[in-house]
Amino acid sequence: METQGFVDNFWGGDFNSTTGFDEISRRMKTGKQCLSDLIEFIKKRAQIEHRYGQELSKLAHGMLGKGETGTMHTCMDVFMRETEETGKIALQCAKALNDDVALYLSEFKEEQRATRKESEESMSKTIKAKKSSYDHMQRCKREYESKCTEAEKSSEMLKQNMGQPQKKLDQLKQKMKQSRQAAEAADKEYRESVKTLEKFRLGWELDHEIYCKRMQDLELDRLTKMRNSVWTYTNICSQALVSTDCHMEEIRRILEMCDGSHDLDVYVRDRRTGSNRPGPIEYVNFYQTNVKLEDEAKRMPKGPTGNYVRVVALYEYAAQGPEEVSLRQGELIVVLEKVDELWWYGKHRNGTTGLFPVTYVKEVPLP
């Protein structure tokens, strides 16, 4: 489609009309504002991306998943790593938007401003000169018309006084002659002013044509640059989204390998506390305790020397590992070895042996 030219469509019928120039000037100002708005938009989008990238980077260095084990621990590691990579992508996107789009458009805007300013100032001077020449021509025209009117009045006055004395006639003739000479001089000046004005008109017309063509070129260049810059902006953002999705896909891939049952098995294997459950707490009759202890002591195995120490459990205690034994309140235990001040090694009446804390028992006399 052929573009409608400014040069054929922005004139005004009135000699001093500036409607075409004014309309193009408004268009250029509007275009300048649109360009400024686009630059500001891209800068703000870059700022948003930069803040987003920084926040993601901070988030990626948190403690998420530190207490997990097995496949979930691996998933959380990948999740945090890919989050950090996503933050880097946002920072790269912000830099590209600033360098490849906002800065480029800002430099282009400055170039256009300089060219537009030069053209508008030159055109304004031409319009002003044409207007000045037109005003001078109008003054010459009024002077010419005034002198012609005076010459006609002098001639009419002479005709009306033909019967007057010769002296009077000579005065009227002299006045008529002077009036005609003044009219001829005014006519000459008027003709010259018209010729001068025509030169200014032709110069203005040529300058206006140049101005129209130059402004049309600037506008077409602006629209093309804005269109291409938005295209670049879209490509940068689109590439950032594609790259981000690649990292999201990596998270999806590792999540497919996450096995909750396996992780629980690993947890139980590494952190188990034992399989013995505490039994019920029984009522202990204070008056029968000594008799009961004596009966149980009789059933406990004797050592070779018969000097084993016997203790009774004062409190419940759950074994914390295979090397320990659990205690139930009121149970009798034979001490096989006093390991240290805190732990003794003993044997249940059921034959199980292991360590137990000294503070949970008290010695009982041998039967």
Side-chain angles (χ1 to χ4, degrees):
M1 180 179 177
E2 185 177 354
T3 304
Q4 291 290 326
F6 284 15
V7 72
D8 296 323
N9 293 279
F10 290 99
W11 300 89
D14 185 73
F15 187 86
N16 287 319
S17 173
T18 60
T19 54
F21 172 76
D22 294 340
E23 178 57 36
I24 293 177
S25 296
R26 280 193 294 270
R27 169 68 184 190
M28 299 306 293
K29 289 179 181 178
T30 301
K32 173 188 174 183
Q33 186 60 50
C34 289
L35 182 58
S36 298
D37 291 344
L38 177 59
I39 294 172
E40 186 64 20
F41 176 91
I42 293 173
K43 285 182 177 180
K44 288 184 178 179
R45 173 61 189 270
Q47 291 172 358
I48 292 171
E49 289 292 335
H50 186 75
R51 288 196 300 270
Y52 176 61
Q54 287 182 324
E55 291 299 321
L56 280 183
S57 296
K58 291 179 183 178
L59 194 61
H61 289 86
M63 300 297 292
L64 181 63
K66 298 300 182 182
E68 293 291 349
T69 59
T71 58
M72 180 54 72
H73 179 75
T74 302
C75 287
M76 291 297 99
D77 282 346
V78 173
F79 179 60
M80 297 296 274
R81 184 181 70 240
E82 298 306 322
T83 298
E84 184 175 14
E85 291 300 318
T86 302
K88 292 179 181 178
I89 291 172
L91 293 175
Q92 293 169 358
C93 177
K95 187 176 186 304
L97 290 175
N98 274 322
D99 295 347
D100 298 344
V101 185
L103 181 60
Y104 168 75
L105 284 178
S106 296
E107 293 174 349
F108 170 71
K109 175 187 172 184
E110 184 58 28
E111 293 173 1
Q112 281 225 328
R113 187 197 67 80
T115 303
R116 185 176 62 253
K117 181 179 179 182
E118 179 185 358
S119 297
E120 288 180 348
E121 288 180 351
S122 176
M123 194 62 203
S124 294
K125 289 179 181 179
T126 301
I127 292 173
K128 186 176 180 180
K130 186 188 74 164
K131 180 65 167 57
S132 179
S133 178
Y134 175 81
D135 291 342
H136 175 69
M137 182 275 299
Q138 287 292 89
R139 288 193 297 271
C140 291
K141 181 181 179 181
R142 288 193 296 270
E143 181 67 16
Y144 163 70
E145 291 174 347
S146 175
K147 296 301 181 183
C148 287
T149 301
E150 290 180 5
E152 289 180 355
K153 288 181 178 179
S154 297
S155 178
E156 186 65 29
M157 183 67 71
L158 180 60
K159 290 179 180 180
Q160 293 176 0
N161 292 277
M162 289 302 294
Q164 296 294 326
Q166 187 63 39
K167 185 177 180 179
K168 179 68 173 178
L169 291 175
D170 290 341
Q171 290 177 349
L172 293 174
K173 287 179 181 180
Q174 183 63 28
K175 185 177 180 180
M176 182 183 68
K177 181 180 179 181
Q178 292 175 350
S179 297
R180 287 181 176 179
Q181 287 175 347
E184 289 174 359
D187 177 67
K188 182 179 180 181
E189 187 175 1
Y190 173 44
R191 290 178 184 272
E192 289 298 323
S193 67
V194 171
K195 291 179 181 179
T196 302
L197 179 59
E198 179 61 13
K199 291 179 182 179
F200 276 107
R201 188 194 67 80
L202 293 175
W204 165 81
E205 186 176 286
L206 178 61
D207 289 347
H208 187 69
E209 289 179 355
I210 295 172
Y211 174 77
C212 287
K213 291 176 181 179
R214 184 172 294 178
M215 293 303 102
Q216 182 169 346
D217 290 341
L218 286 179
E219 269 298 88
L220 182 58
D221 196 21
R222 179 186 67 81
L223 293 171
T224 301
K225 290 291 194 303
M226 287 183 65
R227 178 258 188 196
N228 291 342
S229 294
V230 173
W231 194 290
T232 302
Y233 162 89
T234 304
N235 286 343
I236 291 172
C237 295
S238 177
Q239 183 58 49
L241 293 174
V242 170
S243 299
T244 298
D245 188 62
C246 290
H247 291 288
M248 296 302 103
E249 183 60 30
E250 179 63 18
I251 296 175
R252 287 190 285 267
R253 185 191 67 80
I254 200 68
L255 287 175
E256 290 177 351
M257 302 170 61
C258 184
D259 186 341
S261 297
H262 173 269
D263 290 356
L264 292 180
D265 289 342
V266 171
Y267 169 72
V268 171
R269 182 196 67 196
D270 295 343
R271 304 301 298 273
R272 66 189 304 273
T273 60
S275 57
N276 294 331
R277 304 181 184 183
I281 298 176
E282 299 178 355
Y283 168 76
V284 178
N285 190 309
F286 175 81
Y287 299 100
Q288 296 179 356
T289 299
N290 291 334
V291 176
K292 184 177 180 181
L293 289 176
E294 183 178 346
D295 293 341
E296 290 196 11
K298 291 179 179 179
R299 292 195 295 271
M300 294 297 292
K302 301 292 191 298
T305 63
N307 294 325
Y308 290 145
V309 175
R310 299 172 188 270
V311 295
V312 62
L314 299 176
Y315 316 104
E316 299 287 331
Y317 175 74
Q320 302 299 307
E323 72 279 2
E324 298 180 10
V325 292
S326 298
L327 302 177
R328 294 176 61 185
Q329 186 179 20
E331 281 185 323
L332 280 175
I333 300 173
V334 176
V335 179
L336 302 177
E337 180 183 357
K338 294 183 177 181
V339 179
D340 54 33
E341 295 180 354
L342 300 177
W343 295 90
W344 287 355
Y345 183 77
K347 183 177 182 180
H348 272 291
R349 66 181 179 180
N350 61 9
T352 60
T353 59
L355 296 169
F356 58 88
V358 176
T359 55
Y360 278 65
V361 300
K362 76 172 183 178
E363 293 187 26
V364 294
L366 293 174

